[in-house]
Amino acid sequence: MSFRLFILYSAVAFFLLFYPGHHPYLMIFFHERAEFFSTQTVKKLKIPEAVKIDAPLPPISAQGLYIVDLETFTPIAKKNADELFYPASTTKVLTAITTRQLYKDNQILKIKSPKLIGQIMGLKEGEEISVENLLYGIIVQSGNDAAYALSESYPQDKFMQKMNQIARQLGMSKSYFSNPAGLDEPNQKTTPFELALASRELLKDDVLRKMVSIKQITVSDKNFTTFHELYNVNALLGDIPGLAGLKTGYTELAQENLISLYNFQQREYLIVLLKSEDRFEDTRTLIAWLRENVKIESPPVEHIVY
């Protein structure tokens, strides 16, 4: 900037700083600006309605429980919500989220040595199968072989490292996962509340949200020579209107675990049950309790922003 321009700009700035503002042209300029802002659309930020239940929790066998209104993440019921439990196959919620971040759906993986432990989808050695079909294997069939195939196919054995990193990012500060299938290991633990955080994240993914509600599906390898009939072990799917999954789990130490997504009165609820003696009966009891006692709280005064 030249010295003359600097002097000119300084003089104008000094003039505007102390000028009382009654010049007709300046008044017209500022009046037009004021009219412009005053005619802009006012945007109202509506705070979502929240769900409330005052009734006491019904008797259930589960030792861990967390029920939350999904839209507002308002807790509705808790029981040992921050205590650590064995997750069993509810671990696969994190396995699925991790898979979606590390792989493409149409990516083909070659199965080297399938781990045929516990619940499996029946992978064959040398089979070439898409990541998408392996996701069906872990979500629908809860196949441990599918979970290990996804974990062990990722370079440099970094899958579990990424999985725990994602858990931390979701706020799962107490949880730790040492295997992708949910097999019992001393340090493989989570809490009902933190599983709710993971489930909320899974449901943000349209692909995974669709998968958790599938009762039965047949998938194949890339050459259509090996077929896998997959059946969801969730006995409540198709039996309770409004229930759309989400993930089962069972081991000897974990006992019966179940995460449910339940829709009632156009609202969605997450029900996380851990260490239950009868996860399906407990869930039926809690859904009946929800239906009878749920109340919708009116939102507070709307905030207005321009």
Side-chain angles (χ1 to χ4, degrees), residues 10-61:
S10 299
V12 171
F14 184 82
F15 170 77
L16 292 176
L17 181 63
F18 293 100
Y19 186 73
H22 298 297
H23 193 283
Y25 291 114
L26 287 176
M27 292 293 287
I28 290 172
F29 174 80
F30 287 112
H31 178 70
E32 287 177 350
R33 301 287 78 71
E35 276 199 349
F36 170 80
F37 286 109
S38 67
T39 56
Q40 296 308 292
T41 303
V42 175
K43 182 181 179 182
K44 296 183 178 181
L45 296 180
K46 185 177 180 182
I47 299 175
E49 295 175 322
V51 174
K52 184 179 181 182
I53 293 183
D54 292 323
L57 193 65
I60 55 173
S61 66

Side-chain angles (χ1 to χ4, degrees), residues 16-208:
L16 292 176
L17 181 63
F18 293 100
Y19 186 73
H22 298 297
H23 193 283
Y25 291 114
L26 287 176
M27 292 293 287
I28 290 172
F29 174 80
F30 287 112
H31 178 70
E32 287 177 350
R33 301 287 78 71
E35 276 199 349
F36 170 80
F37 286 109
S38 67
T39 56
Q40 296 308 292
T41 303
V42 175
K43 182 181 179 182
K44 296 183 178 181
L45 296 180
K46 185 177 180 182
I47 299 175
E49 295 175 322
V51 174
K52 184 179 181 182
I53 293 183
D54 292 323
L57 193 65
I60 55 173
S61 66
Q63 295 186 27
L65 170 69
Y66 197 80
I67 304 179
V68 65
D69 170 50
L70 188 58
E71 181 184 10
T72 62
F73 219 66
T74 304
I76 296 170
K78 305 176 186 179
K79 181 179 178 181
N80 299 322
D82 296 314
E83 297 298 316
L84 288 169
F85 294 88
Y86 288 100
S89 282
T90 61
T91 296
K92 296 184 178 91
V93 170
L94 265 298
T95 308
I97 294 170
T98 306
T99 297
R100 291 284 288 159
Q101 290 198 19
L102 297 181
Y103 293 103
K104 295 180 180 179
D105 286 353
N106 60 358
Q107 191 169 341
I108 302 296
L109 302 184
K110 186 171 184 178
I111 307 303
K112 297 176 183 177
S113 298
K115 285 189 168 51
L116 306 179
I117 306 169
Q119 181 80 359
I120 60 172
M121 69 177 288
L123 294 172
K124 308 294 184 183
E125 186 170 355
E127 178 179 352
E128 294 180 283
I129 187 169
S130 70
V131 167
E132 180 182 15
N133 286 346
L134 289 171
L135 276 170
Y136 279 113
I138 67 170
I139 294 293
V140 178
Q141 182 77 12
S142 196
N144 295 334
D145 50 350
Y148 274 104
L150 288 162
S151 171
E152 294 177 352
S153 295
Y154 194 72
Q156 300 178 347
D157 298 325
K158 297 288 187 179
F159 189 95
M160 294 309 303
Q161 180 179 325
K162 180 65 174 178
M163 189 162 151
N164 283 295
Q165 179 186 338
I166 291 171
R168 295 293 174 272
Q169 291 170 350
L170 295 177
M172 302 174 70
S173 58
K174 291 187 175 183
S175 300
Y176 185 78
F177 303 96
S178 53
N179 70 76
L183 302 180
D184 290 334
E185 293 182 3
N187 55 351
Q188 177 114 345
K189 298 285 183 69
T190 191
T191 75
F193 167 68
E194 294 188 0
L195 270 183
L197 293 176
S199 301
R200 176 177 63 172
E201 184 67 16
L202 180 146
L203 292 169
K204 293 177 183 177
D205 187 312
D206 291 339
V207 171
L208 297 179

Side-chain angles (χ1 to χ4, degrees), residues 245-266:
L246 190 144
K247 190 70 197 76
T248 58
Y250 172 80
T251 64
E252 185 176 348
L253 292 180
Q255 295 186 36
E256 296 186 14
N257 297 342
L258 181 62
I259 307 170
S260 297
L261 172 64
Y262 179 63
N263 189 304
F264 175 58
Q265 294 182 344
Q266 297 184 332

Side-chain angles (χ1 to χ4, degrees), residues 265-282:
Q265 294 182 344
Q266 297 184 332
R267 301 188 74 91
E268 291 182 319
Y269 303 90
L270 279 172
I271 305 172
V272 180
L273 284 170
L274 295 179
K275 205 166 187 179
S276 169
E277 295 175 11
D278 190 335
R279 56 191 170 185
F280 300 133
E281 187 58 35
D282 280 349

